[in-house]
Amino acid sequence: MTKSQSTRLRAWRTTQDDMGVLTRVEADRTRVSSKERKTQYLPNVVPNVEPKVQFTREDLGESPSDESDNANSLLNLGVSINNRYRKTRAISDLEDSIRVTRKGLGKNPTDYERALLLSNLGVQFNQRYELTTSMTDRDEAIRAMAGALEYTPKDSPDRCLRLTHLAGLLGDRYSKKGSIIDLEKAIQLQEEAVLETNSPNQSDEDKTGVKMTLRHLLRQRYQAVGALADLEQSIRVCREVIKTAPNGVIWPDRWSDLAENLLERYDRLSTKADLEESVKSAKSHLVLALGDSNVPIGIRINAGKTLTAMCGLTNDWQQAYETANCMAALVPQVSSKSLETTDRQYAIGNTNLGAWACDAAASALHAGKGPVAALNFLEQGRGALAASFVEIRADVQYLHAKYPELADRFVHLRDKLDLPPARMAHTSTYDTRVTQRHNVSKEFDSLITEIRKQSGFEDFLLATSEEKMRNAAKDGPIVVINTCGFRCDAILVEQHQIRSIALPGLKGEDINEKSGGELWRPKVLEWLWDVLARPVLEALGFTRPPDNDAWPHVWWVTTAALARFPLHAAGYHKDPGNSVLDRVMSSYSPSIKAIIHGRQRLRVRNDGMHSQALLAQLPFAAKEIQVLAELCNAMALKPVEPRPRKQDILSHLSKCEIFHFAGHGHTDITDPSMSQLLLEDWATDSLTVSSLLEMNLYERPPFLAYLSACGTGEIAVSKFYDENIHLVSACQLAGFRHVIGTLWEVNDESCVDIARITYQEIASSGMTDKTLRERWICSSKKARREVLTAEVGMTFLTKTACRGDQRDDNLSRKAVLYDSDDEDDEPNGLPYWVPYVHFGV
């Protein structure tokens, strides 16, 4: 989806200075009513509105019905209050505008007034939805807008816009909840809106917006259902819109839409004409858009992505590589430091930079530019959100030693940018915060430029150099698996070289097909071994288990849907020596730069206060915490058990060496920044990914976060595969050196066993990076030994006993054994050691 499409469908969120409508006309003005019932428009800035609003609000209560307390007056008052909300972002104004508008509905309005009141109420509820993300507010918005449409006459000039508004709301609810009924209804309404555009009251620009919204909804249905007719109609709409462009006007986003649709049809039908048309008709326009600084960044990014794909499909790899180079310079603008965390995530998700980075890396290899060039694209295009945090929180000790004044300015501006929104909100409005962050961000960028002019700091915060990447492999090779539709490769980073090997058996379509299934199945783990793990390990010289305790260590960096797979568990586990676990220790990292920056944060543990083990639990996990509390003495740690509430936990994080959470985890399937550890106050003050990202523990980085809950390392949203936004990565970005988490659901009994084995191993060998990694593989091996037995095959834990499904501590934790060699006879369960993963340095 292009930036323009996304903006059009989510204007409620991105156009925070309007009433939230989905098309241009009402995005710039708010509809009110007059006693003459002529349509008037209230400008965004209303002179002297606040005193009038204040006076009227004081008298609203239970005042007797008179001329100032009728539906018409309340309609206008609700708009005035909402206009003030758009200026101040004061929640009380939004709530008051909803209350006043609702009151107007109870004052016997005419049908015309009722339609206006309901339309405004729908907008107001949607504004509140964007703040709360509560589906109740979204549902209320849909009900109100549907009511407005019911009271809008067939010949009304407002009908087209209201049809589009309601279609947009339903389309957005479909994207959140996946109900095809919502999508079908949205398309029906939007098709009716297109017919309404024949009215002379609609401008050409309005007609274009309505048609392109229909095109997007049709493409959504094609992607969901696969009906070719939807794709065909989407292409027809694109062509109609492009024909209406005024002479001399180039619409790169429209050409990009058409090219995407044609490429999608080519992918479906392999019709060469579609590919040729997409190249001939769109290529020149996309090249112009990519190089034009006046074109919005989202459109330029989408143009570059489409161009890269088009060049790849036509085997023009040199052009693809050159396009990717142009794109790379735009990437930092997507994750602007002036945006707050959720907005940065939203911007990154809509551009889908990770997919482009994978295509760009493949084009570099095809064009013969080598593995370092491919790595640079992957490091630049993936993990953009993490990179923005790393840049803000960079370690400046060396800079301070050489240029203390620059270092002090850097820290001052960095701390301003790193201030959590919740703390800023007490002293400034939303608009003021945005302006402040924008100004500070510009000053911060200028300072970075100045720092790079100093001797020895020429590459300050720039892309990781080849030398630094090779140095990052000093403790073991780093394996970056690049997957895309063009080719799949493993890029092997070793201390003395960086090289790549092709993985012809690994296919993008196989990865996508299997990623939606049960990834613990032996057939999946064996497939992973055959097509990926074995070729990589053999290329690295790891052809058999080590002869002694000097286990080699491998860091896995995955891309696209491969991020969901347990590479550490790949292999034939009934055939000794033919599995990853039998040959190497495994850790994961979102990127090479994450390893480098993690190692730059030195451990500080010399004042006693930092030698605490923070143990957080919910009632059913008491046994797990009890086991760990008994092991704390052996690790010279003081166990601390605060109340399982968000603020109590956060207040202890900076003082702890280990943070162990035993409880429920929740993976948000629509917004990864809202994934959370479920504490007692989860409903009112949840401990989310965003909460953890707002923590800055870099000056005193804790050693280990152990998240013993379901899916703490799970990525459920495909557009964020290459961002690695989950609870595990949030702990890493907050400052933890090591994080242990899970890829999917886990069982309570297995949680106790895995935690006990892990901490026993750490206690016996000391708490260092090296011993943590070495002991982790011992923990995994011990867990696997308890699973594999010669007599009965594999031990599986039933999914009904998974932590994510538990509501009390009486559910079964019993392991189910089976002794069949037929995978189809397996019970509905999983080998309990497979989901556990280690991320860290």
Side-chain angles (χ1 to χ4, degrees), residues 285-324:
H285 297 88
L286 299 182
V287 170
L288 287 173
L290 181 61
D292 189 346
S293 60
N294 294 317
V295 173
I297 186 63
I299 295 177
R300 295 177 69 190
I301 288 284
N302 200 68
K305 284 166 45 188
T306 306
L307 265 175
T308 303
M310 288 166 53
C311 292
L313 289 170
T314 55
N315 294 319
D316 187 354
W317 297 112
Q318 182 61 34
Q319 178 67 55
Y321 173 75
E322 292 173 1
T323 300

Side-chain angles (χ1 to χ4, degrees), residues 432-463:
T432 303
R433 293 203 314 273
V434 169
T435 302
Q436 287 175 344
R437 290 183 68 92
H438 176 72
N439 293 336
V440 173
S441 178
K442 287 179 63 178
E443 190 176 352
F444 189 71
D445 289 338
S446 297
L447 176 59
I448 290 174
T449 301
E450 184 179 351
I451 291 172
R452 288 173 182 162
K453 294 178 181 178
Q454 311 307 315
S455 177
F457 291 88
E458 292 81 3
D459 62 347
F460 184 71
L461 298 181
L462 286 176

